[in-house]
Each structure stands twice: as C-alpha cells, then as structure tokens.
Amino acid sequence: MQRHLLYILLFCFIQTANAQFIDLDTIVVIDDYENVGSQKLYSDSLVSTFEIWVKKEVPLHKHEFHTEQVIVLEGEGNMRLGDEWKIIKPGDLIIIPVGTLHQVIVTSSIPLKVLSVQAPEFDGSDRVIMKE
C-alpha cells in the first residue's frame, strides 16, 4: 500500500512531455558519501524529485523559494519543523512550507532514506543554513 501511495504522488508531479515511471527498487544507492547522499530522479521548472540518504543529520535550514514534501522510505529519525520535534519513520509524509526551519537527526542504525519532492525546481540556491 505504501509503495502505491508513493507512485501516485510521483505521477501527480510528473505530468510533462518527459513523463517517466521510476521503480524505486531499482535505484542504486550511492555508497561513497560522508553524511548526506542524493540522486536526482526528475526535474523541470516546476518540480524536482530526489532520493536522499542521510547517515547522521541534516543541519537546521530553510528554503526561501520552495516547498518540500518528504516521504520516509527507510530508517528513523527526529525531525524538527519550526520549534516542534517529531519522530519520523517509514511511511511518514512531511510537508515543509516555504521558509519553515527544519532539520533531521538520524536515530536508526541504518541511513534514513527519503523521497523528496520540491516545488518549484530545486537548484540548491535557496537553502539557508541556520546557526542555533
């Protein structure tokens, strides 16, 4: 059931001439990353989709121009959204509106693996790392 929800979400965002079907089970995990690894699955001017792996943490930051939706596929962690902390686990959908402070600390023995859908297109230029 979870996997079907993921496919439906992907299909909602991928409605262009370059429509694709992506089997998440066939994505090769990049092993040579220190803390955060990612693989772009799709991108156009309206949306970007990434698979992201986190071994330790994602520092506190915000995005100035886009909204992010995160679907947890594997692993667990503590996630901060604004001033609130939540435990995240496989099957969770986290919606992060523009300008919302957020960070993740991995608590599982395996990396956190998520699907991240960001709109409009994400190029990294609007990520603002915050100091606590």
Side-chain angles (χ1 to χ4, degrees), residues 19-31:
Q20 303 173 33
F21 176 81
I22 300 170
D23 183 347
L24 296 177
D25 292 328
T26 64
I27 295 172
V28 177
V29 177
I30 301 165
D31 289 328

Side-chain angles (χ1 to χ4, degrees), residues 67-70 81 93-97 100:
T67 294
E68 181 176 9
Q69 296 184 21
V70 175
L81 287 176
L93 169 63
I94 301 109
I95 299 169
I96 309 165
T100 302

Side-chain angles (χ1 to χ4, degrees), residues 7-122:
Y7 291 145
I8 289 168
L9 286 171
L10 280 174
F11 278 60
C12 288
F13 288 104
I14 303 173
Q15 296 294 323
T16 67
N18 296 324
Q20 303 173 33
F21 176 81
I22 300 170
D23 183 347
L24 296 177
D25 292 328
T26 64
I27 295 172
V28 177
V29 177
I30 301 165
D31 289 328
D32 62 346
Y33 63 98
E34 188 171 321
N35 179 36
V36 178
S38 68
Q39 181 171 341
K40 186 184 295 184
L41 303 178
Y42 180 82
S43 192
D44 65 22
S45 65
L46 301 175
V47 67
S48 296
T49 305
F50 297 86
E51 186 167 275
I52 301 172
W53 307 276
V54 183
K55 291 182 179 177
K56 300 171 192 163
E57 68 178 323
V58 174
L60 183 63
H61 67 285
K62 67 179 181 177
H63 301 282
E64 294 184 322
F65 308 117
H66 76 269
T67 294
E68 181 176 9
Q69 296 184 21
V70 175
I71 302 165
V72 180
L73 302 174
E74 294 177 5
E76 293 183 359
N78 293 320
M79 183 166 201
R80 176 180 173 181
L81 287 176
D83 294 329
E84 189 174 358
W85 286 90
K86 294 279 187 182
I87 295 171
I88 59 171
K89 62 193 179 328
D92 287 348
L93 169 63
I94 301 109
I95 299 169
I96 309 165
V98 170
T100 302
L101 293 176
H102 57 289
Q103 82 183 91
V104 174
I105 299 171
V106 177
T107 59
S108 56
S109 60
I110 63 171
L112 186 66
K113 177 180 169 184
V114 303
L115 187 66
S116 174
V117 180
Q118 303 174 33
E121 182 177 28
F122 178 71

